[in-house]
Amino acid sequence: MIIVALDPPQNVDVEKWIKIRYDELKEYVQGFKIGVPAIIRVGLEGLSKIFKDYSGLLIADLKLADIGDVMALTASIVGDYGFNAVIAHAFVGYSQAVDELSKTCEKKGLKLILVVSMSHRGSEEFIDKHLESFVEIAKRVGSWGLVAPATRPLIIKRVRELIGSEVKILSPGIGVQGAEPGTAICYGADYEIVGRAITHSENVKQNALKIIESQKQRVAKCRG
Ligand code: BMP
């Protein structure tokens, strides 16, 4: 299960870059995650045209971290342009923050995904110290999914123990950041988020298929 992170590099025709990757990959992956670089360059109007017929996961990764009203407004806007999931930070807390966002997500039919740990080393400086509280917030608001790092799979294992089996775990860090395909799923994740290892390669489709195959093999091994 793969979600492709579409983060276009600077010197490309962004809309074309995204469209080509969307067309080549949509049959093989479960979703696309669109981050700040693509959203600010293409705009929501342009993105909604590219993805208009897509029925998989379409995640707006703005990593919201604001007061509840503003996060709710932002989520509502991206929902109007066809996104069906949003990512927000849990560290802003429950009251007047994630609680309000979660209500709007529910109203708009958006899947809420909360970041409880990140794939870079700096996550250990502050975020990871509060892992259990962040998972608690996710439980309290009935979050659809959580982000936890493939680069530190023991965290995924811990998050899975804490959250139970219903909530989805999405794990970035496969490929360029060092984790092997399948690692996160073996430790309890549902989806592996893969960006540059697929999108910055010469043959996008071939590379995606290779990663999907290697994910399958690792998962088959770890599940015995
Ligand atoms: P890549 O596979 O190219 O390293 O991309 C990873 C993607 O996952 C990026 O879009 C990044 O914003 C996102 N991400 C991450 O790398 N670590 C996190 O902890 C959370 C993320 O959303």
Side-chain angles (χ1 to χ4, degrees):
M1 301 268 268
I2 301 259
I3 293 169
V4 176
L6 291 171
D7 297 310
Q10 271 197 299
N11 302 313
V12 296
D13 175 336
V14 203
E15 292 198 41
K16 200 167 142 199
W17 189 94
I18 292 176
K19 177 110 181 57
I20 289 171
R21 282 151 185 79
Y22 168 59
D23 287 338
E24 293 210 352
L25 299 170
K26 65 184 172 198
E27 293 177 45
Y28 307 105
V29 302
Q30 283 63 47
F32 293 91
K33 181 180 81 65
I34 319 292
V36 174
I39 293 176
I40 59 177
R41 286 173 76 196
V42 179
L44 292 172
E45 194 85 48
L47 288 167
S48 73
K49 282 185 191 139
I50 297 173
F51 292 96
K52 70 176 184 316
D53 298 320
Y54 191 55
S55 55
L57 268 175
L58 188 60
I59 306 171
D61 181 12
L62 293 161
K63 294 211 178 57
L64 301 171
D66 210 323
I67 57 167
D69 287 339
V70 174
M71 292 196 291
L73 175 62
T74 310
S76 181
I77 292 168
V78 297
D80 288 342
Y81 283 91
F83 284 92
N84 51 34
V86 290
I87 298 184
H89 274 294
F91 66 67
V92 287
Y94 173 82
S95 291
Q96 299 184 326
V98 176
D99 61 339
E100 287 173 7
L101 171 63
S102 74
K103 283 178 199 144
T104 295
C105 287
E106 208 181 314
K107 249 189 262 155
K108 301 280 294 186
L110 283 164
K111 294 178 166 71
L112 175 60
I113 300 165
L114 290 178
V115 177
V116 297
S117 175
M118 295 187 71
S119 58
H120 64 301
R121 280 200 299 275
S123 185
E124 293 173 341
E125 294 169 23
F126 301 102
I127 295 178
D128 290 8
K129 293 181 178 156
H130 302 278
L131 182 74
E132 307 204 346
S133 311
F134 294 161
V135 174
E136 209 44 53
I137 291 177
K139 275 190 188 165
R140 209 167 156 193
V141 300
S143 177
W144 176 83
L146 302 177
V147 174
T151 47
R152 279 168 299 125
L154 288 175
I155 293 201
I156 301 174
K157 190 166 176 253
R158 180 75 186 125
V159 170
R160 180 54 80 203
E161 284 163 5
L162 292 168
I163 197 73
S165 58
E166 293 301 304
V167 176
K168 308 292 180 199
I169 298 178
L170 293 76
S171 282
I174 304 289
V176 173
Q177 295 182 55
E180 295 290 333
T183 313
I185 293 181
C186 284
Y187 279 81
D190 297 280
Y191 299 97
E192 296 188 333
I193 296 173
V194 187
R196 292 162 292 178
I198 292 176
T199 62
H200 289 210
S201 60
E202 285 284 300
N203 188 332
V204 172
K205 182 171 144 188
Q206 201 177 52
N207 253 41
L209 292 176
K210 260 194 227 157
I211 287 177
I212 291 166
E213 185 50 38
S214 108
Q215 185 191 64
K216 272 190 196 144
Q217 281 180 16
R218 185 174 288 262
V219 171
K221 235 192 232 166
C222 77
R223 290 188 179 158

